[in-house]
Amino acid sequence: AVERANLLNMAKLSIKGLIESALSFGRTLDSDYPPLQQFFVVMEHCLKHGLKVRKSFLSYNKTIWGPLELVEKLYPEAEEIAASVRDLPGLKTPLGRARAWLRLALMQKKMADYLRCLIIQRDLLSEFYEYHALMMEEEGAVIVGLLVGLNVIDANLCVKGEDLDSQVGVIDFSMYLKSDDDIGGKERNVQIAAILDQKNYVEELNRQLNSTVSSLHARVDSLEKSNTKLIEEVLFSFMDVEAELQTYKHSRQGLDEMYNEARRQLREESQLRQDMENELVVQVSMKHEIELAMKLLEKDIHEKQDTLIGLRQQLDEVKAINMEMYQKLQVSEDAMKEKNEIIGRLEDKTNQINATMKQLEQ
């Protein structure tokens, strides 16, 4: 909590000092401006507070590029700045990319918007920050609110070619330890800057008013010319209107007849449409009935197919039984033939015996 409070106070001093010095120095700042450099250092410390240590393949990684890279998924307009950072040839470390991202966001005057959409998503931030981190607490929201004031500053920063990977982010506290004379001179500079701003505003307003007056004079001249032309056109058009009125009276009767005919056709077409809708309802009901009949027919066909399969199985069984009976019949016929032959031989022997007995009796 003490660290968050200290970082919040440093952010307040840095942002306030940057805005006040920019008003006195000039609103367009470059990369070498010391208050601007200190602002980026303070923002880097605020974003690093409570950052989780991620174990990578080669070493432990603790960088603010992870949460900043997440902004492009939450804010579609940030895709361009993220792509620009990745395309910079001189950046080799994630920290360098994060520093370049902060500078580009300041030049776009979108840093407050980008970080606001980031701190809202606390569930996503919890993957990068501890629960007590500055970005997870109210101090982060306060800093994001203070960043809105930086939109009055125009920053012209050259990110390409600047060594952002090896910079050491150390806060220079001497910039914020000011004496009474410095404070009085600062106040005078602020007042002078305000007077200059008012003078520039009045001059710009006067220039706009002069241009507006010139344009109004030109517009009045053009309106007078167009008014004269319109009067002439009205006179000519009045004669044309009278002729058109006579034509309208003659054509009104024909239009009434066409209107009545159109109404009659509309009633007929409405009745025809109603008949078609009724017929469509009947066709839909018939379609449902046909579909139901088709389902019943398919069910009947399936049942008959099952019955046919059963009958075929029974037929195969009957054929097997018939074949077995036929084989048994063949065997019985063969046995009958043998028995008939035996009976024939026995009859021959019986006849011989009878003949022999008759001979013996004789």
Side-chain angles (χ1 to χ4, degrees):
V2 175
E3 290 177 358
R4 289 199 306 269
N6 292 335
L7 287 173
L8 177 60
N9 292 327
M10 286 305 305
K12 289 180 179 179
L13 291 174
S14 175
I15 295 172
K16 181 180 178 182
L18 179 59
I19 294 174
E20 291 178 352
S21 61
L23 291 176
S24 59
F25 178 75
R27 285 196 175 90
T28 303
L29 308 178
D30 54 6
S31 301
D32 297 331
Y33 192 55
L36 185 61
Q37 294 178 353
Q38 285 299 304
F39 165 72
F40 287 123
V41 173
V42 173
M43 284 302 302
E44 185 177 332
H45 279 78
C46 292
L47 292 172
K48 281 183 178 180
H49 183 261
L51 196 66
K52 289 182 178 180
V53 178
R54 291 178 171 270
K55 185 177 181 181
S56 62
F57 180 71
L58 298 176
S59 62
Y60 288 92
N61 187 16
K62 188 176 182 181
T63 177
I64 59 177
W65 175 238
L68 294 181
E69 193 177 16
L70 183 65
V71 175
E72 62 177 327
K73 298 179 181 179
L74 305 174
Y75 203 100
E77 295 182 8
E79 295 178 357
E80 181 180 355
I81 184 175
S84 301
V85 170
R86 296 190 189 96
D87 294 338
L88 288 174
L91 299 179
K92 299 179 181 179
T93 62
L95 182 58
R97 297 189 187 95
R99 289 168 174 170
W101 189 95
L102 289 174
R103 284 157 174 78
L104 292 177
L106 181 64
M107 284 194 291
Q108 285 186 348
K109 299 183 180 181
K110 290 282 187 179
M111 185 183 293
D113 297 333
Y114 293 158
L115 295 182
R116 182 183 295 108
C117 73
L118 187 63
I119 63 174
I120 294 174
Q121 305 293 333
R122 294 181 182 272
D123 52 343
L124 298 178
L125 277 183
S126 60
E127 298 180 4
F128 301 96
Y129 289 100
E130 302 289 347
Y131 70 94
H132 61 273
L134 183 141
M135 294 296 289
M136 300 288 289
E137 296 293 336
E138 295 181 358
E139 289 82 356
V142 174
I143 292 176
V144 171
L146 294 173
L147 292 176
V148 178
L150 297 179
N151 293 338
V152 301
I153 299 174
D154 295 328
N156 186 14
L157 309 179
C158 182
V159 181
K160 187 176 180 180
E162 188 175 357
D163 187 11
L164 299 176
D165 294 325
S166 60
Q167 289 184 1
V168 179
V170 179
I171 300 176
D172 185 8
F173 293 97
S174 62
M175 295 181 60
Y176 308 107
L177 300 176
K178 300 183 183 296
S179 62
D180 295 336
D181 295 336
D182 294 335
I183 294 174
K186 192 66 177 179
E187 291 178 353
R188 286 193 299 272
N189 291 332
V190 171
Q191 292 176 358
I192 293 172
I195 293 171
L196 291 175
D197 289 340
Q198 291 178 1
K199 179 178 176 294
N200 293 330
Y201 173 74
V202 170
E203 290 178 352
E204 179 67 19
L205 184 61
N206 189 20
R207 186 183 63 80
Q208 292 180 359
L209 289 175
N210 290 330
S211 62
T212 304
V213 169
S214 300
S215 62
L216 286 175
H217 281 301
R219 187 174 180 183
V220 166
D221 294 336
S222 63
L223 286 175
E224 288 178 353
K225 294 178 182 179
S226 62
N227 189 17
T228 304
K229 188 176 180 180
L230 284 173
I231 291 173
E232 294 176 356
E233 291 179 354
V234 166
L235 291 176
F236 287 110
S237 63
F238 180 74
M239 297 169 55
D240 294 336
V241 166
E242 295 225 346
E244 289 178 359
L245 182 60
Q246 296 296 328
T247 305
Y248 170 74
K249 289 179 179 179
H250 291 296
S251 61
R252 176 62 183 271
Q253 184 176 0
L255 291 174
D256 291 338
E257 294 177 356
M258 291 175 62
Y259 175 71
N260 294 329
E261 181 66 20
R263 288 190 62 184
R264 184 182 62 80
Q265 291 181 358
L266 178 61
R267 286 196 297 268
E268 292 178 355
E269 290 179 358
S270 298
Q271 184 63 33
L272 181 61
R273 180 183 176 184
Q274 186 65 35
D275 296 338
M276 292 294 291
E277 289 180 352
N278 295 334
E279 186 176 356
L280 179 62
V281 172
V282 174
Q283 291 292 335
V284 170
S285 62
M286 290 178 63
K287 180 182 177 182
H288 290 317
E289 293 177 358
I290 291 173
E291 290 178 352
L292 181 59
M294 288 293 293
K295 290 180 180 178
L296 295 175
L297 183 60
E298 288 178 356
K299 183 178 180 181
D300 191 16
I301 290 172
H302 289 310
E303 292 177 354
K304 289 183 178 180
Q305 286 179 350
D306 296 338
T307 305
L308 182 60
I309 292 171
L311 291 174
R312 284 180 179 174
Q313 292 177 354
Q314 293 179 4
L315 180 60
D316 293 337
E317 293 175 356
V318 170
K319 285 182 179 180
I321 293 171
N322 288 337
M323 184 61 67
E324 184 179 357
M325 294 296 293
Y326 177 75
Q327 293 175 356
K328 289 181 179 180
L329 180 60
Q330 290 293 114
V331 173
S332 299
E333 288 180 352
D334 294 339
M336 185 66 70
K337 288 180 180 179
E338 291 178 359
K339 290 180 181 179
N340 288 333
E341 291 176 356
I342 293 172
I343 290 171
R345 288 196 297 271
L346 289 175
E347 286 179 351
D348 292 339
K349 286 183 180 181
T350 302
N351 292 331
Q352 291 176 3
I353 291 171
N354 289 332
T356 304
M357 287 181 67
K358 285 181 180 180
Q359 290 177 0
L360 289 175
E361 285 178 355
Q362 290 176 359

